[in-house]
């Protein structure tokens, strides 16, 4: 028998949906800034496998020659990104929701099982709590990445005032380096996250809007027993 169960608190849903457009604007404006000094690549020595980014990339997105605009948007959005992130972490800590997100030792085994199942190398899906092991690891990693982006961003934003902070990342150039690759990590997470949401179906997406999910009694009971 199917029933409606509560899944996501209202505050968590607000933090999620506020962060989605803010993160998009942060990445977009960051690319407008990066255009002025696009030094990063994948390669060894003088050999380059891929340069971030080819000229066609900037032309397609019309992101060249817009440095001032990018800086204005980026520095404005970073405060909302910071406040929303701090509020989200605070909510997890005070509400006890962190128990669903922070991975345990069993989460790593569960994550491997999830990957094997998604690759069709394992027939049955592992037990599913509110979040499975792979989701716990991914969501915790994103929180840490958000903190890293904030710290490296501050080191770049005010390199003199936050010189002590920049020194933790190897100076201004080091902070910029890590800030860029954290952005690439967010892009990778976003693509995988959207693909998994599509794969999970409408019910999973709906739960992030309404906070409720329709489940079989037995499935819901199993979920409630998982951290």
């Amino acid at each position: 028998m199917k029933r409606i169960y509560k899944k996501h608190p209202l505050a968590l849903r607000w933090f999620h949906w506020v962060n989605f457009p803010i993160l998009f604007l942060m990445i977009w404006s960051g690319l407008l800034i990066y255009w002025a000094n696009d030094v990063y690549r994948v390669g060894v020595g003088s050999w380059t496998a891929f340069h971030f980014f080819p000229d066609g990339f900037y032309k397609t997105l019309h992101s060249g020659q817009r440095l001032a605009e990018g800086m204005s948007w980026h520095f404005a959005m970073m405060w909302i990104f910071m406040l929303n992130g701090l509020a989200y972490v605070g909510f997890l800590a005070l509400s006890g929701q962190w128990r669903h997100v922070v991975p345990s030792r069993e989460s790593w085994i569960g994550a491997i099982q999830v990957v094997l199942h998604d690759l069709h190398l394992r027939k049955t899906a592992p037990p599913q709590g509110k979040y499975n092991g792979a989701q716990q690891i991914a969501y915790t990693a994103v929180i840490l990445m958000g903190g890293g982006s904030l710290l490296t961003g501050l080191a770049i934003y005010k390199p003199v005032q936050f010189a002590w902070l920049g020194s933790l990342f190897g100076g201004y150039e080091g902070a910029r380096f890590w800030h860029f690759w954290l952005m690439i990590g967010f892009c990778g997470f976003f693509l995988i996250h959207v693909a998994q949401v599509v794969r999970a179906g409408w019910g999973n997406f709906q739960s992030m809007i309404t906070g409720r999910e329709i489940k079989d009694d037995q499935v819901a009971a199993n979920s409630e027993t998982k951290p």
Side-chain angles (χ1 to χ4, degrees):
M1 181 177 180
K2 294 183 179 295
R3 293 185 182 180
I4 299 176
Y5 292 86
K6 292 182 179 180
K7 185 174 183 180
H8 299 300
L10 177 61
L12 190 149
R13 285 178 277 140
W14 269 104
F15 295 137
H16 176 275
W17 291 114
V18 167
N19 199 55
F20 181 79
I22 294 302
L23 185 58
F24 174 82
L25 288 172
M26 290 288 289
I27 293 174
W28 168 75
S29 58
L31 290 174
L32 299 185
I33 299 171
Y34 179 68
W35 159 85
N37 188 24
D38 55 348
V39 296
Y40 300 127
R41 65 188 180 92
V42 176
V44 178
S46 59
W47 176 75
T48 299
F50 181 79
H51 179 80
F52 293 96
F53 292 96
D55 290 339
F57 175 85
Y58 299 112
K59 292 178 180 178
T60 300
L61 297 181
H62 305 287
S63 57
Q65 309 290 337
R66 299 170 66 183
L67 175 60
E69 179 185 355
M71 293 177 67
S72 297
W73 275 102
H74 207 68
F75 295 151
M77 292 300 104
M78 75 176 186
W79 298 113
I80 304 177
F81 179 77
M82 179 186 71
L83 293 174
N84 189 63
L86 292 176
Y88 172 66
V89 172
F91 172 76
L92 290 180
L94 295 176
S95 67
Q97 287 288 318
W98 64 270
R99 296 184 181 89
H100 298 291
V101 178
V102 177
S104 62
R105 283 184 293 182
E106 291 76 15
S107 298
W108 299 94
I109 297 176
I112 294 174
Q113 294 174 340
V114 169
V115 172
L116 292 176
H117 179 260
D118 288 349
L119 294 175
H120 302 288
L121 298 177
R122 175 187 168 97
K123 292 184 178 180
T124 58
Q128 173 74 47
K130 182 173 183 179
Y131 303 118
N132 60 45
Q135 290 172 319
Q136 290 176 324
I137 294 171
Y139 296 160
T140 299
V142 166
I143 293 173
L144 295 176
M145 288 165 57
S149 295
L150 175 61
L151 295 176
T152 54
L154 288 174
I156 299 170
Y157 177 55
K158 296 290 185 181
V160 176
Q161 294 87 339
F162 290 103
W164 60 271
L165 182 59
S167 65
L168 298 178
F169 300 101
Y172 179 87
E173 292 299 330
R176 185 172 186 258
F177 174 85
W178 289 111
H179 197 71
F180 174 83
W181 287 105
L182 284 167
M183 181 271 292
I184 295 296
F186 273 116
C187 291
F189 169 80
F190 175 78
L191 293 175
I192 295 173
H193 184 59
V194 170
Q196 290 288 3
V197 169
V198 172
R199 184 176 182 275
W202 171 251
N204 184 64
F205 178 78
Q206 178 182 260
S207 69
M208 188 51 75
I209 298 176
T210 65
R212 289 169 171 77
E213 186 176 28
I214 300 175
K215 287 185 177 181
D216 291 324
D217 285 347
Q218 186 59 45
V219 174
N222 293 337
S223 297
E224 292 298 321
T225 60
K226 299 297 176 181

